[in-house]
Amino acid sequence: MTIQTTRLSDPAVRAFVTAVNAHDREGFMKILAPGATMADDGSDRDLADWVDREIFSSNGHMEVDNESRNGRSLIALYRNDTWGEMRTRWSFTVDDDGRISRFETGQA
């Protein structure tokens, strides 16, 4: 059963998923803390390059199946034009100011 984006528990994670699905690069970048980092399948990646390639230039879309850690860990079906659809896990670190300082993703 998919969780509606508007029902995601953590406001920063909700904004992240909303921006991905709306292809809203500006909104996406606003939710990230300065100097934010990320990893894909356990390896740190260049955030700007990865976000462009895996989300915005390839029509990335997330459908969240479940959440844990107060909404800061997700299992989602993720699809884009490059890789098709896959089951993925997402984990977020949210700073005190409510912005995401790190996210990690990979196949679930």
Side-chain angles (χ1 to χ4, degrees):
M1 179 66 108
T2 301
I3 299 173
Q4 289 179 320
T5 303
T6 56
R7 295 187 182 272
L8 293 173
S9 301
D10 187 275
V13 173
R14 186 182 325 124
F16 180 101
V17 175
T18 298
V20 167
N21 290 348
H23 308 290
D24 177 5
R25 182 191 300 264
E26 186 177 329
F28 181 91
M29 298 312 283
K30 281 182 182 173
I31 196 60
L32 298 179
T37 61
M38 64 86 51
D40 184 1
D41 283 328
S43 298
D44 276 29
R45 309 283 188 191
D46 178 272
L47 186 137
D49 177 64
W50 189 92
V51 164
D52 182 60
R53 190 177 66 252
E54 299 292 339
I55 298 174
F56 294 106
S57 69
S58 61
N59 296 306
H61 187 86
M62 298 174 74
E63 286 184 27
V64 179
D65 282 342
N66 67 56
E67 62 177 8
S68 56
R69 288 194 325 117
N70 296 317
R72 294 189 177 172
S73 289
L74 306 177
I75 298 293
L77 281 178
Y78 186 79
R79 66 178 179 270
N80 66 24
D81 294 345
T82 305
W83 305 108
E85 187 171 86
M86 65 188 86
R87 190 167 169 80
T88 56
R89 58 179 166 69
W90 298 77
S91 178
F92 299 89
T93 303
V94 180
D95 285 352
D96 291 340
D97 70 355
R99 292 197 289 176
I100 294 169
S101 59
R102 180 170 177 82
F103 67 93
E104 298 181 23
T105 187
Q107 292 198 46

